[in-house]
Amino acid sequence: MTAFRSVTTAPHRTAASFAIRSERASDVAARETLLDACFGDNRHERTCQRLRDGRAPAAGLALSAVRGGALVGTLRLWHVSAGGRDALMLGPLAVAREARSLGVGAALMNAALMIAASRGHGAVILLGDAPYYARFGFSVAQTAKLELPGAFARERLLGLELVEGALDGAAGPIRATGARERKARRSRKERLVSCAA
């Protein structure tokens, strides 16, 4: 049985409106600042972040929430092998403090799950708070035999099948499988300046 539920993500036409769109290169600095504010200075040491390091997000699955021209939310999904099963790893999901009552997190989640399903992905896993993610259909039902490369709380490893049976028999380590992230190329002038410094 597929647990995925679709919810409308169109912004309301009020002063609190926001839009969900694909992440742009111009969002990167604001995204990193938002992630630091939400998760603290040690976020790069966390198990899931180490799994994502050096990997590009799945095509079409890096999303930004924008309100009044400012980035107020971010969510990305990544290709992984979940005990030998192809899946996506969700995270991080972050919403600016001033936008947390607007439904930005739910809108990002619903948009990401709809896009993932429309692109034929079978399952999404994440490490997060079960009470929050249960409303999107996530549970521990399919993740009991999966392991992350580092310390994690078992009750926070959650899964959602977008296609029935996508996580059947999934057991063992979760490993990054997505494309390597391309480093931004610097111009010849920038390379010469940095070499001279």
Side-chain angles (χ1 to χ4, degrees), residues 56-174:
L61 289 166
L63 303 177
S64 295
V66 181
R67 180 179 182 220
L71 183 85
V72 294
T74 180
L75 184 148
R76 297 169 125 202
L77 288 99
W78 314 79
H79 289 284
V80 294
S81 169
R85 298 293 195 138
D86 289 338
L88 294 171
M89 185 90 176
L90 187 146
L93 167 62
V95 177
R97 184 176 307 279
E98 67 274 11
R100 290 188 183 154
S101 64
L102 304 177
V104 172
L108 282 165
M109 285 294 299
N110 285 313
L113 294 175
M114 284 190 291
I115 294 167
S118 73
R119 290 178 174 245
H121 295 288
V124 179
I125 55 176
L126 61 83
L127 195 61
D129 295 325
Y132 178 82
Y133 291 104
R135 64 180 157 155
F136 303 104
F138 285 87
S139 74
V140 297
Q142 298 288 334
T143 60
K145 296 182 179 179
L146 292 172
E147 295 292 332
L148 284 167
F152 71 99
R154 169 67 52 202
E155 69 278 6
R156 292 175 53 85
L157 184 58
L158 309 173
L160 169 66
E161 290 184 331
L162 301 175
V163 174
E164 188 175 346
L167 291 175
D168 283 357
I174 297 170

